[in-house]
Amino acid sequence: MYHGGGGGGCCQFDSGPCGPAAPMPVQFSRNGGMYSYPSSGCSGGSGGVGGPFATNSSDSARQFGPLATELRRIFRELGPEGPRAQRISEAVQRSSDRDAAECIPLILDRLVDWSSGHALGIHALTGLLYKHPVPMVNCLTPQRVYDLFNPKADARPPAEFLYKFLGYKNSQGFSCQEDAEKLLKLLCRKEKVSVNDPKRIPPSVLRSCLVRIWFDIPSSRPTTAVLASCCCFWLADRNLGSEE
């Protein structure tokens, strides 16, 4: 079942792993700290603007796989999110690892310019994480953490997705420190705070997400000095949110 982005909710599926240590199928090998994935790669897509999966010059000569074709059709449609989200879930369940490796970069390329359908995009990524965790780890590198968050969209769904993703990645023995560092830098940029003094970041959904990641995912934690400085300062903040 789909839980949409309205009212501050999170995009998620009712079934499947949802905690940091949740088990998922492991069918991969590691090479230099990265997953070795034998089929299609995860290079970035066209990054087109003007709506999700909008056709542009680089897309016109490209042959898309079945999942990408279906997602492009669904995202272009108008209408309630619920039925479209259900169709996305069904399409993901029919997809292969190769389909996922093609679609994940396409979705990430468009989230930052697609506030109206951002929740649907995160919903698709959540389904792909549950169904195809290996290509998700290959495609969602630390450098792409920024792409999950749209400044005009609710931050809770992508924050919840990132927490689940890093929980899986950590459970497979991979470091999440660089991913969490990207989130910290995003917070500093958003709040106009120096990266050298992150304790000045005010309470927010993203700060709560970062605290939760640091607390539950050991490999995500920064240096002891940074962790102690931020946590002590934030705990003393009178405006501390209930989530923290």
Side-chain angles (χ1 to χ4, degrees):
M1 182 179 295
Y2 171 72
H3 300 280
C10 294
C11 289
Q12 56 186 350
F13 287 73
D14 284 341
S15 60
C18 59
M24 289 189 182
V26 181
Q27 298 176 348
F28 60 88
S29 60
R30 279 191 275 181
N31 180 17
M34 287 296 293
Y35 289 100
S36 294
Y37 183 60
S39 51
S40 59
C42 290
S43 58
S46 59
V49 182
F53 294 92
T55 302
N56 52 47
S57 57
S58 62
D59 286 348
S60 58
R62 181 174 176 182
Q63 294 295 319
F64 290 98
L67 180 60
T69 300
E70 181 67 11
L71 290 183
R72 285 162 58 86
R73 181 183 303 116
I74 294 171
F75 286 136
R76 286 171 176 170
E77 293 175 1
L78 299 176
E81 282 190 358
R84 288 190 290 160
Q86 181 60 37
R87 289 165 57 199
I88 289 172
S89 300
E90 293 169 356
V92 167
Q93 289 303 309
R94 297 190 299 267
S95 65
S96 67
D97 277 5
R98 184 180 292 275
D99 293 329
E102 177 185 35
C103 287
I104 293 166
L106 289 174
I107 297 171
L108 290 171
D109 286 341
R110 287 154 171 83
L111 285 180
V112 72
D113 296 309
W114 181 35
S115 58
S116 62
H118 187 265
L120 277 179
I122 296 298
H123 176 75
L125 290 177
T126 303
L128 288 166
L129 171 62
Y130 289 154
K131 179 72 173 178
H132 305 290
V134 176
M136 181 62 73
V137 172
N138 275 337
C139 297
L140 184 48
T141 61
Q143 289 71 29
R144 303 224 65 172
V145 168
Y146 297 140
D147 296 330
L148 293 172
F149 298 94
N150 186 304
K152 297 180 181 179
D154 184 3
R156 288 178 178 83
E160 183 70 17
F161 168 79
L162 181 61
Y163 173 78
K164 293 176 180 178
F165 169 71
L166 295 184
Y168 171 72
K169 187 175 177 180
N170 177 78
S171 74
Q172 300 304 311
F174 291 90
S175 173
C176 301
Q177 187 176 52
E178 189 177 356
D179 306 80
E181 184 179 282
K182 293 295 183 182
L183 182 57
L184 179 62
K185 288 182 178 178
L186 178 64
L187 267 165
C188 289
R189 181 191 307 169
K190 180 177 181 291
E191 303 295 346
K192 297 179 173 58
V193 171
S194 170
V195 293
N196 298 316
D197 194 20
K199 67 178 182 291
R200 300 292 178 183
I201 297 172
S204 67
V205 168
L206 289 185
R207 196 182 85 170
S208 297
C209 175
L210 180 61
V211 170
R212 187 182 178 199
I213 288 171
W214 282 348
F215 185 82
D216 288 336
I217 303 173
S219 70
S220 71
R221 294 168 188 163
T223 64
T224 303
V226 172
L227 189 63
S229 173
C230 288
C231 291
C232 289
F233 196 86
W234 294 345
L235 285 171
D237 189 346
R238 293 182 179 180
N239 296 315
L240 187 70
S242 60
E243 295 177 346
E244 295 178 294

